[in-house]
Amino acid sequence: MIRRRQPHLLRSAVLGVALAGALLLWRFRGSLRNRITERLVLSNDSPSQQVIEGIIQKAPYPDAALAAEWNSGKIIQREVAIQTLRSITTVGQPLPPELESILLSATLDADMDVRESAFGLLRDRNDPALPALAAAQLRDPDPETRILGLNYLRQMKAAIGVPIVIPLLDDGDSLIVATVLSMLENWSGAEFGVRMRDATNSSKVEAGASRAKAWWAAHRLEFPSTQLDVPREAIAAHILIPVGNFSLSALDGRTVELSDFHGKVVLINFWTTWCTACVAEIPELIELRKQCGENVAILGISLDSVADGAAGQSESALHEKVERTAKARGINYPILLDEKDHVGSRFNGGELPTTVIVDAQGNVRRRFIGPRTLAVFHAMIAEASTPIALTPSLR
């Protein structure tokens, strides 16, 4: 005999389950809300820094939350993750292995801001990997990166630092050579006749380098050869930073998409008409376009509409201003208008000029602030034209 369940009992059971579910949701509402927010931020190309920091710091497991932001492959999330690492860890205490790997790999990152933050934290933590990772910067095609490495090698003992920096006496950048001479003087007590104010005097710097080489020839046996190994964790933790597609209107009204240039190295330059440094590097980009031809795509993305200088100006007036500047300067590469900051915010292009170099496979190979010379642009493009390779050791 089959008994029919009484309707009021069934309703009571349903209500009981619903009430229990509601109580669970109420009890864990904060955690659930945080999880939803975290997922939204991870999928967002340009979330606010404050939101990312809050997610990491308030998470039940901040280490895991930070790792998730880093592994998102998104520029803003990764920059904030490295910056926030300082606030969720204690100086003097070892880092969890995953965070240690992230920190070490950040010193070899495509994003110059990430590298700088990582080195500051390594210094504060007195990390034993600092000398090898600083030395790794000296082989970089960007002189600003080589300067970064030199600045962190200053703290090293002469026995470590001298043999590492000697090869840079032949560097093509006189500022780097002058920096090396200054470091060698501090380590050796010798005088090479060059001060940092002389960095623009190439003949004086060259003469100082010759004196330093003579000193090195007389003292090199005092400095045994050493090998500095870049930690394997730094290499193993390296991840690609893919660039999602975007589309913007060009000055001539046509729509340009990043995917139009798939298979080519793309140099993206964020600028404004009132940014002195931006305008100053335009001739370099014009010449780069002439020399590279169709092999490399250069895109100038104007942020005039969203920058501070846009206050009180109409979109049409800003458009005309950008167009006048492009014509007056003879710009020979496409100028795109990012009127809503959809692309600039993705690459944190508020600091100007910001340049991003994307390889033929659509991965970020460089992101940096400030102008570079034509020779440096060529070196970076050549680097982006070859497969990513990290060297595990340096002599």
Side-chain angles (χ1 to χ4, degrees), residues 105-129:
S105 70
T107 65
L108 305 174
D109 199 70
D111 189 335
M112 188 64 170
D113 283 353
V114 167
R115 291 196 192 202
E116 291 174 348
S117 296
F119 270 106
L121 191 51
L122 283 177
R123 177 200 57 209
D124 295 346
R125 301 186 66 84
N126 197 25
D127 197 295

Side-chain angles (χ1 to χ4, degrees), residues 34-321:
N34 290 341
R35 288 292 295 165
I36 293 173
T37 302
E38 181 179 354
R39 289 184 178 277
L40 289 173
V41 169
L42 286 173
S43 62
N44 190 344
D45 285 329
S46 53
S48 74
Q49 178 173 332
Q50 292 74 19
V51 170
I52 301 173
E53 290 174 348
I55 286 173
I56 295 172
Q57 293 171 347
K58 296 176 183 178
Y61 303 101
D63 295 2
L66 187 147
E69 299 294 342
W70 176 260
N71 292 323
S72 69
K74 298 180 185 296
I75 288 175
I76 307 301
Q77 284 87 332
R78 299 172 85 255
E79 287 187 356
V80 176
I82 289 299
Q83 294 166 9
T84 310
L85 184 57
R86 186 184 303 275
S87 65
I88 67 168
T89 57
T90 303
V91 173
Q93 297 296 320
L95 289 173
E98 184 175 19
L99 295 190
E100 177 74 12
S101 296
I102 288 173
L103 177 59
L104 296 178
S105 70
T107 65
L108 305 174
D109 199 70
D111 189 335
M112 188 64 170
D113 283 353
V114 167
R115 291 196 192 202
E116 291 174 348
S117 296
F119 270 106
L121 191 51
L122 283 177
R123 177 200 57 209
D124 295 346
R125 301 186 66 84
N126 197 25
D127 197 295
L130 181 59
L133 292 167
Q137 312 304 306
L138 306 187
R139 300 175 62 178
D140 196 275
D142 183 9
E144 294 295 329
T145 303
R146 300 199 293 279
I147 289 290
L148 174 68
L150 288 173
N151 286 339
Y152 282 97
L153 284 169
R154 287 181 183 275
Q155 313 163 39
M156 303 298 113
K157 295 179 180 179
I160 296 175
V162 170
I164 293 174
V165 305
I166 284 293
L168 268 68
L169 290 172
D170 292 317
D171 196 278
D173 189 298
S174 60
L175 175 59
I176 288 175
V177 179
T179 302
V180 170
L181 291 172
S182 172
M183 294 168 68
L184 288 174
E185 286 190 348
N186 289 335
W187 280 323
S188 67
E191 285 283 342
F192 303 120
V194 175
R195 296 291 176 263
M196 291 306 299
R197 63 176 177 270
D198 301 320
T200 56
N201 188 333
S202 58
S203 59
K204 191 170 185 177
V205 171
E206 187 176 338
S210 295
R211 287 188 285 271
K213 290 176 184 178
W215 172 88
W216 174 242
H219 294 85
R220 68 183 308 161
L221 293 180
E222 301 171 17
F223 299 89
S225 177
T226 58
Q227 178 171 318
L228 296 178
D229 293 323
V230 172
R232 296 193 177 278
E233 306 96 299
I235 300 168
H238 177 77
I239 64 171
L240 298 176
I241 309 174
V243 179
N245 193 30
F246 61 78
S247 63
L248 292 171
S249 295
L251 283 176
D252 60 8
R254 63 193 175 95
T255 298
V256 175
E257 296 190 13
L258 181 61
S259 59
D260 296 339
F261 309 99
H262 185 74
K264 293 183 179 181
V265 172
V266 182
L267 186 152
I268 306 171
N269 181 253
F270 295 93
W271 70 293
T272 64
T273 56
W274 50 262
C275 166
T276 304
C278 301
V279 175
E281 76 172 344
I282 286 176
E284 304 287 343
L285 296 174
I286 291 173
E287 186 59 30
L288 184 66
R289 174 71 176 81
K290 291 177 181 177
Q291 295 183 12
C292 291
E294 297 300 322
N295 296 322
V296 175
I298 301 176
L299 302 177
I301 299 184
S302 166
L303 299 179
D304 279 74
S305 296
V306 295
D308 293 338
Q313 300 185 58
S314 66
E315 289 292 343
S316 60
L318 290 167
H319 185 127
E320 291 173 4
K321 186 178 181 181

Side-chain angles (χ1 to χ4, degrees), residues 337-350:
L337 304 170
D338 191 6
E339 297 172 345
K340 303 300 181 183
D341 201 24
H342 291 317
V343 181
S345 60
R346 184 192 301 185
F347 295 101
N348 201 16

Side-chain angles (χ1 to χ4, degrees), residues 360-373:
Q361 289 71 46
N363 299 307
V364 174
R365 297 293 288 271
R366 290 276 169 178
R367 179 195 171 275
F368 56 88
I369 310 297
R372 297 296 191 272
T373 65

